[in-house]
Amino acid sequence: QASLHTSFQKERSSTAMFRRVLLGGIGASATAAVALSYKQSLAEEKMSLKMGIFAPPGGGKGTVCKKLIRDYGFVQVSTGDLLRDAVKKKTPLGMKAKEYMNKGELVPADLIHEIVGSHLKSPEVVEKGFVLDGVCRSKANSEFIVSEGLTPDLCLILDVSEACVQERLGGRVIDPVTKDSYNVNTMPPPPEIADRCIRRKDDYPEAITKRFNLYEKGLKEVLSVFPPATVKKIPGEGPPDVVYKLVSKKVDETLAHKKMETLFEGGADPKKDDVRT
């Protein structure tokens, strides 16, 4: 009980102090200390976030998603993975999708939307938050996400040039057993599996250019549905650790903004929240 009381007092104190910073209730000398305390409380609270990540083929999206899941506990949501999982588990929606797949036909967008929407509203995803990975590939996909009340708090674009993509994908090989990706120039596969690694047909220069142009052409339409303030772009051509540092900074800022909004639900009263130091 003592521990619970201490935790409650700490949260109330940091929240109240931060509200006073925002309302001009404390001097500048205390701002840095409050900001540090507030950031620590955010890390402990593990707030959920609705997020979409966008990058051209070979833009590093997969690497970033893995780290976001590791550090923030978000659920990665991929249309292809959800479709395959639904078919594997023989869910009603999965069985409907399988009928189209068995005939070699594309699964209708409405059915895919139903599968995605059902997953995004599951208790686990609602609690943990999500990262949309390849879900919004068209304006219709984005409109569906918004219509379901799932508008992302953050739409993050990894800005990568075609030249960089050509360099990355031109040397990419994939282990067909583990599905892990390697690069013969920068991160070659271990010698014991090198012979079995393969190169995808769409990882050749002409195909890469086509895929990159399709991504660039569709990106504006995909993002046009979302509030402009949620769309952020960061440089994506640096070392993976540097890129991820920029990503996590944007995520932290968005989480802090969400937290700030909750502080003012019902109104803020700096006198009521007065904290003496």
Side-chain angles (χ1 to χ4, degrees):
Q1 289 182 343
S3 176
L4 182 62
H5 177 73
T6 301
S7 177
F8 173 79
Q9 291 286 25
K10 179 181 178 182
E11 171 61 18
R12 183 184 183 282
S13 176
S14 63
T15 297
M17 284 290 282
F18 192 70
R19 291 172 78 167
R20 291 183 65 213
V21 169
L22 295 174
L23 294 168
I26 66 173
S29 60
T31 300
V34 173
L36 177 59
S37 172
Y38 185 67
K39 186 172 183 179
Q40 289 170 343
S41 74
L42 276 178
E44 294 167 2
E45 190 172 346
K46 293 287 183 183
M47 289 185 68
S48 66
L49 187 73
K50 299 188 294 291
M51 177 178 175
I53 187 164
F54 303 86
K61 188 158 50 74
T63 300
V64 168
C65 282
K66 287 180 181 178
K67 293 180 179 180
L68 287 171
I69 294 166
R70 178 196 68 193
D71 295 343
Y72 294 90
F74 302 148
V75 177
Q76 183 177 359
V77 180
S78 164
T79 301
D81 289 345
L82 289 180
L83 191 57
R84 285 187 288 271
D85 188 58
V87 171
K88 183 179 179 181
K89 291 180 178 178
K90 298 183 178 181
T91 67
L93 293 176
M95 297 310 293
K96 287 183 182 179
K98 189 176 181 181
E99 292 178 10
Y100 291 96
M101 296 164 72
N102 287 343
K103 292 185 289 186
E105 299 176 2
L106 292 175
V107 179
D110 289 348
L111 181 53
I112 291 177
H113 287 167
E114 200 171 348
I115 293 172
V116 171
S118 175
H119 183 67
L120 291 177
K121 292 180 179 179
S122 66
E124 179 192 11
V125 178
V126 171
E127 178 185 354
K128 294 183 177 180
F130 59 75
V131 182
L132 299 177
D133 176 11
V135 172
C136 297
R137 294 181 181 272
S138 69
K139 187 176 182 180
N141 294 155
S142 298
E143 288 173 339
F144 167 75
I145 292 296
V146 172
S147 71
E148 292 292 299
L150 298 167
T151 303
D153 305 300
L154 174 64
C155 296
L156 195 61
I157 305 169
L158 303 182
D159 190 22
V160 181
S161 67
E162 183 186 350
C164 181
V165 169
Q166 288 282 3
E167 183 179 348
R168 289 179 180 178
L169 296 187
R172 182 168 73 172
V173 292
I174 298 173
D175 180 358
V177 177
T178 65
K179 309 301 181 185
D180 289 335
S181 296
Y182 300 92
N183 189 294
V184 294
N185 301 314
T186 60
M187 191 179 72
E192 61 271 20
I193 69 167
D195 289 342
R196 75 183 187 212
C197 288
I198 59 175
R199 188 176 182 186
R200 287 171 38 168
K201 292 181 180 179
D202 54 1
D203 279 349
Y204 288 88
E206 298 81 5
I208 292 172
T209 295
K210 184 177 180 179
R211 292 165 64 196
F212 183 86
N213 289 339
L214 283 173
Y215 163 78
E216 287 282 294
K217 182 180 179 180
L219 185 61
K220 286 185 179 180
E221 273 202 349
V222 166
L223 295 176
S224 67
V225 180
F226 303 131
T230 67
V231 179
K232 308 293 181 183
K233 182 185 290 188
I234 65 166
E237 296 188 7
D241 288 346
V242 173
V243 173
Y244 182 66
K245 188 175 181 180
L246 296 172
V247 170
S248 61
K249 181 181 178 182
K250 290 297 182 186
V251 171
D252 288 342
E253 289 173 353
T254 306
L255 284 170
H257 181 73
K258 282 194 69 177
K259 176 69 173 179
M260 181 181 70
E261 288 180 335
T262 66
L263 301 184
F264 292 96
E265 289 179 359
D269 184 347
K271 292 183 180 178
K272 181 179 178 181
D273 291 329
D274 189 26
V275 178
R276 305 295 177 180
T277 56

Coordinates of all heavy atoms in Angstrom, one line a residue, residues 150-186:
L150 N -9.4 5.3 -36.3 CA -8.1 4.8 -36.0 C -7.0 5.7 -36.6 O -5.9 5.3 -36.9 CB -7.9 3.4 -36.5 CG -8.8 2.3 -35.9 CD1 -8.8 1.0 -36.7 CD2 -8.4 2.1 -34.4
T151 N -7.3 7.0 -36.8 CA -6.4 7.9 -37.4 C -5.1 7.9 -36.6 O -5.1 8.1 -35.4 CB -7.0 9.3 -37.4 OG1 -8.2 9.3 -38.1 CG2 -6.0 10.3 -38.0
P152 N -3.9 7.7 -37.3 CA -2.7 7.7 -36.5 C -2.3 9.0 -35.8 O -2.7 10.1 -36.3 CB -1.6 7.4 -37.7 CG -2.4 6.8 -38.8 CD -3.8 7.4 -38.7
D153 N -1.7 8.9 -34.7 CA -1.2 10.1 -33.9 C 0.1 10.6 -34.6 O 0.4 11.7 -34.5 CB -0.9 9.7 -32.5 CG -2.1 9.1 -31.8 OD1 -3.1 9.8 -31.7 OD2 -2.0 8.0 -31.3
L154 N 0.7 9.7 -35.3 CA 2.0 10.0 -36.0 C 2.1 9.2 -37.2 O 2.0 8.0 -37.3 CB 3.2 9.6 -35.0 CG 4.6 9.8 -35.6 CD1 4.9 11.3 -35.9 CD2 5.6 9.3 -34.6
C155 N 2.4 9.9 -38.4 CA 2.7 9.3 -39.6 C 4.1 9.6 -40.0 O 4.4 10.8 -40.3 CB 1.8 9.8 -40.7 SG 0.0 9.4 -40.5
L156 N 5.0 8.7 -39.9 CA 6.4 9.0 -40.0 C 7.0 8.5 -41.3 O 6.8 7.3 -41.7 CB 7.2 8.2 -38.8 CG 8.6 8.7 -38.6 CD1 8.7 10.1 -38.2 CD2 9.2 7.8 -37.4
I157 N 7.6 9.4 -42.0 CA 8.2 9.1 -43.3 C 9.7 9.0 -43.2 O 10.4 9.9 -42.7 CB 7.9 10.2 -44.4 CG1 6.4 10.4 -44.5 CG2 8.5 9.8 -45.7 CD1 6.0 11.7 -45.3
L158 N 10.3 7.9 -43.6 CA 11.7 7.8 -43.7 C 12.1 8.2 -45.1 O 11.8 7.6 -46.1 CB 12.2 6.3 -43.5 CG 11.7 5.6 -42.2 CD1 12.3 4.2 -42.1 CD2 12.1 6.4 -41.0
D159 N 12.8 9.4 -45.2 CA 13.2 10.0 -46.4 C 14.4 9.4 -47.0 O 15.5 9.6 -46.5 CB 13.4 11.5 -46.2 CG 13.5 12.3 -47.5 OD1 13.0 11.8 -48.5 OD2 14.1 13.4 -47.5
V160 N 14.3 8.6 -48.1 CA 15.4 7.9 -48.7 C 15.4 8.1 -50.2 O 14.3 7.9 -50.8 CB 15.3 6.4 -48.3 CG1 16.5 5.6 -48.9 CG2 15.3 6.1 -46.8
S161 N 16.5 8.4 -50.8 CA 16.5 8.7 -52.2 C 16.6 7.4 -53.0 O 16.9 6.3 -52.5 CB 17.8 9.5 -52.5 OG 19.0 8.7 -52.3
E162 N 16.3 7.5 -54.3 CA 16.3 6.3 -55.2 C 17.7 5.7 -55.2 O 17.9 4.5 -55.3 CB 15.8 6.6 -56.6 CG 15.8 5.3 -57.4 CD 15.4 5.6 -58.9 OE1 15.0 6.7 -59.2 OE2 15.5 4.7 -59.7
A163 N 18.7 6.6 -55.3 CA 20.1 6.1 -55.4 C 20.5 5.3 -54.2 O 21.1 4.2 -54.3 CB 21.1 7.3 -55.4
C164 N 20.0 5.7 -53.0 CA 20.3 4.9 -51.8 C 19.5 3.6 -51.8 O 20.1 2.5 -51.5 CB 19.8 5.7 -50.5 SG 20.1 4.9 -49.0
V165 N 18.3 3.6 -52.3 CA 17.5 2.4 -52.4 C 18.2 1.4 -53.4 O 18.2 0.2 -53.1 CB 16.1 2.7 -52.9 CG1 15.3 1.4 -53.3 CG2 15.3 3.4 -51.8
Q166 N 18.7 1.9 -54.5 CA 19.4 1.1 -55.5 C 20.6 0.4 -54.9 O 20.8 -0.8 -55.1 CB 19.8 1.9 -56.7 CG 18.7 2.3 -57.6 CD 18.2 1.2 -58.6 OE1 18.6 0.1 -58.5 NE2 17.2 1.6 -59.4
E167 N 21.3 1.2 -54.1 CA 22.5 0.6 -53.4 C 22.1 -0.4 -52.4 O 22.8 -1.5 -52.3 CB 23.3 1.8 -52.7 CG 24.6 1.3 -52.1 CD 25.3 2.4 -51.4 OE1 25.0 3.6 -51.6 OE2 26.3 2.1 -50.6
R168 N 21.1 -0.2 -51.7 CA 20.7 -1.2 -50.6 C 20.1 -2.4 -51.2 O 20.5 -3.5 -50.9 CB 19.7 -0.5 -49.7 CG 20.2 0.5 -48.8 CD 19.1 1.1 -47.9 NE 19.6 2.2 -47.0 CZ 18.8 2.8 -46.2 NH1 17.5 2.6 -46.1 NH2 19.3 3.8 -45.4
L169 N 19.1 -2.3 -52.1 CA 18.5 -3.4 -52.7 C 19.3 -4.2 -53.7 O 19.1 -5.4 -54.0 CB 17.1 -3.0 -53.3 CG 16.1 -2.5 -52.3 CD1 14.7 -2.3 -53.0 CD2 15.9 -3.4 -51.1
G170 N 20.2 -3.4 -54.4 CA 21.0 -4.1 -55.4 C 21.9 -5.1 -54.8 O 22.3 -6.1 -55.6
G171 N 22.2 -5.1 -53.6 CA 23.1 -6.1 -52.9 C 22.3 -7.0 -52.0 O 22.9 -7.8 -51.3
R172 N 21.0 -6.9 -52.0 CA 20.2 -7.6 -51.0 C 20.0 -9.1 -51.4 O 19.7 -9.4 -52.6 CB 18.8 -7.0 -50.8 CG 18.0 -7.7 -49.7 CD 16.8 -6.9 -49.3 NE 15.7 -6.9 -50.4 CZ 14.5 -6.4 -50.2 NH1 14.2 -5.9 -49.0 NH2 13.6 -6.4 -51.2
V173 N 20.2 -10.0 -50.5 CA 19.9 -11.4 -50.6 C 19.1 -11.8 -49.4 O 19.1 -11.2 -48.4 CB 21.1 -12.2 -50.8 CG1 21.9 -11.9 -52.1 CG2 22.1 -12.1 -49.6
I174 N 18.3 -12.9 -49.6 CA 17.4 -13.3 -48.6 C 17.6 -14.8 -48.3 O 17.7 -15.6 -49.3 CB 15.9 -13.1 -49.0 CG1 15.7 -11.6 -49.1 CG2 14.9 -13.7 -47.9 CD1 14.3 -11.2 -49.6
D175 N 17.6 -15.2 -47.1 CA 17.7 -16.6 -46.7 C 16.3 -17.2 -46.8 O 15.4 -16.8 -46.0 CB 18.3 -16.7 -45.3 CG 18.4 -18.2 -44.8 OD1 18.0 -19.1 -45.6 OD2 18.8 -18.4 -43.7
P176 N 16.0 -18.1 -47.7 CA 14.7 -18.6 -47.9 C 14.2 -19.4 -46.7 O 13.0 -19.7 -46.5 CB 14.8 -19.5 -49.1 CG 16.2 -19.9 -49.2 CD 17.0 -18.7 -48.6
V177 N 15.1 -19.9 -45.8 CA 14.7 -20.6 -44.6 C 14.3 -19.8 -43.5 O 13.2 -19.9 -42.9 CB 15.9 -21.5 -44.2 CG1 15.5 -22.3 -42.9 CG2 16.3 -22.5 -45.3
T178 N 15.1 -18.8 -43.2 CA 14.7 -17.9 -42.0 C 14.0 -16.6 -42.4 O 13.5 -15.9 -41.6 CB 16.0 -17.5 -41.3 OG1 16.8 -16.7 -42.1 CG2 16.8 -18.7 -40.8
K179 N 14.0 -16.3 -43.7 CA 13.5 -15.1 -44.3 C 14.3 -13.8 -43.9 O 13.8 -12.7 -44.2 CB 12.0 -14.9 -43.9 CG 11.1 -16.1 -44.1 CD 11.1 -16.5 -45.6 CE 10.1 -17.7 -45.8 NZ 10.1 -18.2 -47.2
D180 N 15.4 -14.0 -43.3 CA 16.3 -12.9 -42.9 C 16.9 -12.3 -44.2 O 17.3 -13.0 -45.1 CB 17.4 -13.3 -41.9 CG 16.8 -13.6 -40.6 OD1 15.7 -13.1 -40.2 OD2 17.5 -14.4 -39.8
S181 N 17.1 -10.9 -44.1 CA 17.7 -10.2 -45.3 C 19.2 -9.9 -45.0 O 19.5 -9.6 -43.8 CB 17.0 -8.9 -45.6 OG 15.7 -9.2 -46.0
Y182 N 20.0 -9.9 -46.0 CA 21.4 -9.6 -45.9 C 21.8 -8.7 -47.1 O 21.0 -8.5 -48.0 CB 22.3 -10.8 -45.8 CG 22.0 -11.8 -44.7 CD1 21.1 -12.8 -44.9 CD2 22.6 -11.6 -43.5 CE1 20.8 -13.7 -43.8 CE2 22.3 -12.5 -42.4 CZ 21.4 -13.5 -42.6 OH 21.2 -14.4 -41.6
N183 N 23.0 -8.1 -47.0 CA 23.5 -7.3 -48.1 C 24.9 -7.7 -48.4 O 25.7 -7.7 -47.5 CB 23.4 -5.8 -47.8 CG 23.7 -4.9 -49.0 OD1 24.8 -5.0 -49.5 ND2 22.7 -4.2 -49.5
V184 N 25.1 -8.2 -49.6 CA 26.4 -8.8 -49.9 C 27.5 -7.7 -49.8 O 28.7 -8.1 -49.7 CB 26.4 -9.4 -51.4 CG1 25.5 -10.5 -51.4 CG2 26.1 -8.3 -52.4
N185 N 27.2 -6.4 -49.9 CA 28.2 -5.4 -49.8 C 28.4 -4.9 -48.3 O 29.6 -4.6 -48.0 CB 27.8 -4.2 -50.7 CG 27.6 -4.6 -52.1 OD1 28.5 -5.3 -52.7 ND2 26.6 -4.1 -52.7
T186 N 27.4 -4.8 -47.6 CA 27.5 -4.1 -46.3 C 27.3 -5.1 -45.1 O 27.8 -4.9 -44.0 CB 26.5 -3.0 -46.1 OG1 25.1 -3.5 -46.3 CG2 26.8 -1.9 -47.2

